[in-house]
Amino acid sequence: MVRGARQPQQPRSRLAPRLTGTVEKPPRKRRSSIRGSGDSSHSQSQGERYQHFTEKTEFALKEIMSSGGAEDDIPQGERKTVTDFCYLLDKSKQLFNGLRDLPQYGQKQWQSYFGRTFDVYTKLWKFQQQHRQVLDNRYGLKRWQIGEIASKIGQLYYHYYLRTSETSYLNEAFSFYSAIRQRSYYSQVNKEDRPELVVKKLRYYARFIVVCLLLNKMDVVKDLVKELSDEIEDYTHRFNTEDQVEWNLVLQEVAAFIEADPVMVLNDDNTIVITSNRLAETGAPLLEQGMIVGQLSLADALIIGNCNNQVKFSELTVDMFRMLQALEREPMNLASQMNKPGMQESADKPTRRENPHKYLLYKPTFSQLYTFLAASFKELPANSVLLIYLSATGVFPTGRSDSEGPYDFGGVLTNSNRDIINGDAIHKRNQSHKEMHCLHPGDLYPFTRKPLFIIVDSSNSVAYKNFTNLFGQPLVCLLSPTAYPKALQDQSQRGSLFTLFLNNPLMAFLFVSGLSSMRRGLWEKCQEYLRKINRDIAQLLTHSRSIDQAFLQFFGDEFLRLLLTRFIFCSATMRMHKIFRETRNYPESYPQLPRDETVENPHLQKHILELASILDVRNVFFENTIDDY
């Protein structure tokens, strides 16, 4: 489960520090500083700890340095160097291990602790660089130990990304992970008869793969998977361990994750083009002069996944991964931005808006989900929106009910009873009681006191069609089809078609058109035409006389604007497609969109047919769609 808190501020200008320099620490607010606190008890404990390490190091020196001559001949300066290193190393480990005890939610609790941890790792990394020769000779510092320090710094940056949703920190993590590989810091681990060291190396590979996946560095991922496979084979052959099955499962999961996209974009030499689906500068349709929309901005998002049969890696399903990227901007090289002519004067000013903060929740229990919801709701700034994305199995009502309340239509299952102790007893109980971990529409009613944007991708998404807006705040629900044509059902393991439309509408359009590959030139031509379609959809929405104002309230935010235009494109495409003939094959929304002005608008239908003509797949769509209903 990914944990997070709202981003405090923009990252510093120098991006992607190299291992030849000091660690570039993420920004901290002043209150998070631990220097000059004036806490005498704190200073005393630090002094006592340092004295403890002096005594401990004296003993270690006798053990480690005896081979170089008499222990008394060691210069006092070198003794102090080893003592200081041991102290920093132990302190860094204590702080790093303490990160897991921090609250998984909330903004204020984690910032100070992260700042202290970065301070220590900055000092530790710089110290081992400056005193490498002494540490090699007197302490016996090994390359894998340097690699461990660098790996911890990479983990800090990755977790800072999870806490802030600032994609630039992924580049920071990649920088350190990549340097570990390039400098072969773990190369000597296999020569030591210590399986726990090999596991450190394997975990490093798994973490590096996650960062590369998030950065869409698929070429690097494939190389890492091959290297990891070789390492696992050697590890299991040498030590005959019990975790062989688990590591092989890691390989299978990442291999399936790489192959999840149903369409390949190819260069002229048949190499695969890596496409990114994060928000680019020209991604969302611009608001034209005269468009009257709200001023709300997306600040928080909960991305929830519980699809048992769906491809996943590191508690991140394909659907969660795609929605995660749909809610982020392209990583930005701040160093190059600041070095552009004319940028020096405004170096302290943000050059763009922040990403919305996200929680990624894989199979959360109801109590966990409600805790995170409450935390996001509490910290939501004024004039901001909370987005909830649900990709989960549907829970349907059992039997008929005399009432039709918010708990009588079922919902979605956020946790598949992963902690069942007595499965039979729970199954029998569920015959007469509602599922404990089912999220019903009524469960979200308290959070409609603030602007709420809900996306439900489930076989029972229509349960949220019966929503009631009790507090008059902007509220929109985008609901997936509850079933797909049989020809497409076999692809569910590779992710939902509905979410694919929201993440990469052109790839989804190609998939439903029966195409599995495309040349780069044609892809780019279609992308440009799709941008034109999005602009026209934006005009249809803002010029509509009968559309619910909630849609327009959200339309001022770039991310929500893009999701809404893609939703309408998805709905219009499915309604025109020849194999999508049942009502349950179509997306729906709350409030309902005026069909004749949006999803069944003749102008939009003409655009879709023209896009199909470019791809030479016009035959899979109805020509006179409205007449065919």
Side-chain angles (χ1 to χ4, degrees):
M1 190 191 318
V2 177
R3 307 167 178 89
R6 198 180 319 282
Q7 176 171 315
Q9 61 187 70
Q10 285 291 105
R12 284 170 156 180
S13 60
R14 187 165 68 87
L15 184 69
R18 297 294 178 257
L19 291 176
T20 53
T22 58
V23 179
E24 178 71 10
K25 184 174 59 178
R28 294 181 290 125
K29 295 184 179 180
R30 290 186 177 181
R31 66 171 180 270
S32 66
S33 175
I34 60 171
R35 300 188 182 91
S37 60
D39 189 342
S40 59
S41 61
H42 175 74
S43 301
Q44 184 179 4
S45 64
Q46 294 280 45
E48 292 173 352
R49 181 185 291 179
Y50 187 83
Q51 178 63 32
H52 166 74
F53 265 89
T54 301
E55 297 170 357
K56 183 178 178 182
T57 307
E58 286 296 324
F59 175 79
L61 286 170
K62 293 178 181 179
E63 298 292 325
I64 297 173
M65 302 189 291
S66 57
S67 60
E71 190 262 337
D72 292 338
D73 295 337
I74 300 170
Q76 188 65 32
E78 294 185 2
R79 287 173 180 272
K80 187 175 186 306
T81 296
V82 175
T83 301
D84 290 347
F85 177 77
C86 290
Y87 172 73
L88 287 172
L89 184 63
D90 185 77
K91 187 176 180 182
S92 67
K93 289 179 179 178
Q94 287 184 349
L95 288 170
F96 190 90
N97 292 336
L99 293 175
R100 70 190 62 174
D101 298 326
L102 294 177
Q104 301 175 18
Y105 48 84
Q107 177 184 1
K108 298 178 181 179
Q109 297 92 331
W110 65 275
Q111 292 175 351
S112 176
Y113 197 95
F114 257 77
R116 292 175 59 194
T117 308
F118 269 105
D119 277 341
V120 173
Y121 271 97
T122 299
K123 295 175 183 176
L124 177 63
W125 187 254
K126 186 175 181 179
F127 191 89
Q128 64 83 23
Q129 286 181 318
Q130 294 173 341
H131 304 282
R132 181 74 58 83
Q133 186 172 356
V134 173
L135 294 173
D136 285 346
N137 296 334
R138 302 301 188 184
Y139 178 79
L141 184 66
K142 294 181 173 60
R143 290 186 64 77
W144 68 262
Q145 292 174 303
I146 302 172
E148 272 296 283
I149 298 172
S151 179
K152 289 289 196 300
I153 295 171
Q155 291 178 59
L156 283 174
Y157 278 123
Y158 172 67
H159 284 285
Y160 210 83
Y161 156 74
L162 298 181
R163 294 260 178 184
T164 64
S165 297
E166 174 49 61
T167 46
S168 297
Y169 292 126
L170 286 174
N171 285 330
E172 308 275 8
F174 177 83
S175 173
F176 275 86
Y177 285 147
S178 181
I180 292 170
R181 178 169 173 247
Q182 292 170 1
R183 301 182 183 189
S184 304
Y185 279 134
Y186 285 114
S187 61
Q188 302 300 313
V189 163
N190 292 6
K191 296 181 179 180
E192 302 194 29
D193 191 26
R194 295 174 60 185
E196 69 275 11
L197 293 184
V198 182
V199 170
K200 287 179 182 291
K201 185 176 183 178
L202 299 182
R203 288 176 175 170
Y204 152 73
Y205 269 106
R207 294 183 181 110
F208 194 7
I209 288 171
V210 170
V211 170
C212 291
L213 284 173
L214 291 169
L215 287 172
N216 293 307
K217 296 181 182 291
M218 295 303 175
D219 292 340
V220 181
V221 170
K222 291 176 181 178
D223 292 339
L224 292 174
V225 169
K226 186 178 184 304
E227 293 175 20
L228 178 59
S229 178
D230 294 340
E231 294 289 346
I232 292 173
E233 184 177 353
D234 178 73
Y235 166 66
T236 54
H237 176 72
R238 289 174 57 205
F239 299 107
N240 192 26
T241 59
E242 297 179 354
D243 57 354
Q244 177 179 358
V245 175
E246 295 178 13
W247 281 111
N248 286 330
L249 180 60
V250 169
L251 285 176
Q252 295 172 16
E253 286 184 345
V254 69
F257 209 94
I258 295 172
E259 302 297 329
D261 283 349
V263 179
M264 291 186 298
V265 184
L266 303 174
N267 286 310
D268 292 337
D269 59 357
N270 287 333
T271 56
I272 298 176
V273 178
I274 307 302
T275 59
S276 175
N277 301 306
R278 287 188 169 94
L279 179 61
E281 290 184 8
T282 59
L286 297 175
L287 293 175
E288 298 182 3
Q289 189 173 5
M291 286 186 176
I292 302 176
V293 297
Q295 301 301 313
L296 298 173
S297 62
L298 179 61
D300 258 57
L302 272 74
I303 299 177
I304 300 146
N306 180 31
C307 292
N308 291 328
N309 297 323
Q310 195 172 109
V311 169
K312 74 171 188 68
F313 182 64
S314 186
E315 296 199 337
L316 191 68
T317 67
V318 172
D319 280 354
M320 294 172 67
F321 175 75
R322 287 172 175 164
M323 185 51 59
L324 164 74
Q325 298 218 327
L327 298 178
E328 290 182 346
R329 304 175 193 276
E330 281 295 334
M332 182 178 173
N333 191 321
L334 298 180
S336 63
Q337 287 291 320
M338 293 304 178
N339 291 332
K340 288 182 179 180
M343 289 294 292
Q344 287 78 6
E345 297 81 358
S346 58
D348 294 331
K349 297 180 181 179
T351 57
R352 59 174 184 170
R353 281 179 46 194
E354 300 172 352
N355 287 327
H357 161 256
K358 296 174 292 297
Y359 290 117
L360 304 181
L361 305 177
Y362 177 67
K363 294 181 180 291
T365 63
F366 177 79
S367 58
Q368 289 172 334
L369 175 55
Y370 232 57
T371 300
F372 280 87
L373 265 173
S376 288
F377 180 85
K378 177 183 177 182
E379 298 184 347
L380 196 69
N383 299 317
S384 296
V385 180
L386 172 61
L387 182 146
I388 301 173
Y389 169 79
L390 296 164
S391 169
T393 305
V395 178
F396 299 90
T398 55
R400 294 185 177 181
S401 174
D402 295 333
S403 61
E404 290 189 351
Y407 292 91
D408 296 318
F409 297 98
V412 299
L413 188 65
T414 63
N415 180 282
S416 304
N417 292 325
R418 59 181 174 184
D419 298 321
I420 286 179
I421 297 176
N422 187 345
D424 291 336
I426 290 178
H427 179 73
K428 292 177 181 178
R429 183 195 68 189
N430 286 342
Q431 299 297 316
S432 57
H433 295 270
K434 287 183 168 65
E435 166 61 49
M436 171 189 257
H437 301 301
C438 173
L439 189 72
H440 297 267
D443 293 325
L444 298 180
Y445 279 11
F447 305 102
T448 61
R449 289 173 168 85
K450 295 181 180 180
L452 190 62
F453 195 98
I454 303 171
I455 302 173
V456 184
D457 195 338
S458 172
S459 56
N460 191 29
S461 60
V462 291
Y464 291 79
K465 185 179 177 182
N466 303 286
F467 227 101
T468 302
N469 190 343
L470 299 176
F471 299 98
Q473 291 290 331
L475 171 66
V476 162
C477 303
L478 305 184
L479 312 175
S480 72
T482 56
Y484 293 100
K486 292 182 179 180
L488 302 176
Q489 289 175 356
D490 294 339
Q491 300 295 323
S492 59
Q493 285 188 331
R494 301 170 73 177
S496 163
L497 178 61
F498 178 69
T499 295
L500 183 60
F501 262 104
L502 299 181
N503 166 260
N504 191 336
L506 180 55
M507 183 172 288
F509 189 88
L510 296 174
F511 175 61
V512 298
S513 300
L515 300 175
S516 59
S517 64
M518 166 176 286
R519 293 295 173 185
R520 181 173 188 165
L522 183 57
W523 170 271
E524 292 175 349
K525 179 181 179 181
C526 292
Q527 284 283 31
E528 183 60 36
Y529 192 78
L530 190 58
R531 281 190 280 271
K532 171 180 169 55
I533 294 177
N534 281 337
R535 289 194 296 270
D536 287 350
I537 292 175
Q539 288 186 345
L540 291 177
L541 277 171
T542 55
H543 293 170
S544 171
R545 297 183 178 181
S546 56
I547 192 170
D548 191 286
Q549 289 298 304
F551 292 100
L552 299 181
Q553 288 291 319
F554 292 123
F555 212 65
D557 180 86
E558 288 180 283
F559 292 104
L560 301 181
R561 183 159 70 248
L562 196 56
L563 288 173
L564 286 169
T565 55
R566 287 174 174 176
F567 173 81
I568 292 174
F569 174 75
C570 168
S571 185
T573 298
M574 291 179 176
R575 290 170 183 276
M576 294 181 66
H577 203 288
K578 289 182 179 179
I579 68 170
F580 290 79
R581 299 321 311 145
E582 299 182 46
T583 303
R584 59 183 187 157
N585 296 157
Y586 306 142
E588 297 193 53
S589 67
Y590 171 88
Q592 287 189 354
L593 286 165
R595 290 185 183 177
D596 58 334
E597 295 181 350
T598 55
V599 297
E600 294 178 5
N601 182 277
H603 184 64
L604 176 56
Q605 292 175 344
K606 179 181 177 183
H607 278 327
I608 291 175
L609 290 175
E610 288 176 359
L611 179 60
S613 297
I614 296 173
L615 297 166
D616 196 24
V617 292
R618 190 161 177 151
N619 60 303
V620 303
F621 295 95
F622 286 112
E623 294 284 341
N624 301 311
T625 310
I626 295 179
D627 296 336
D628 292 320
Y629 278 91

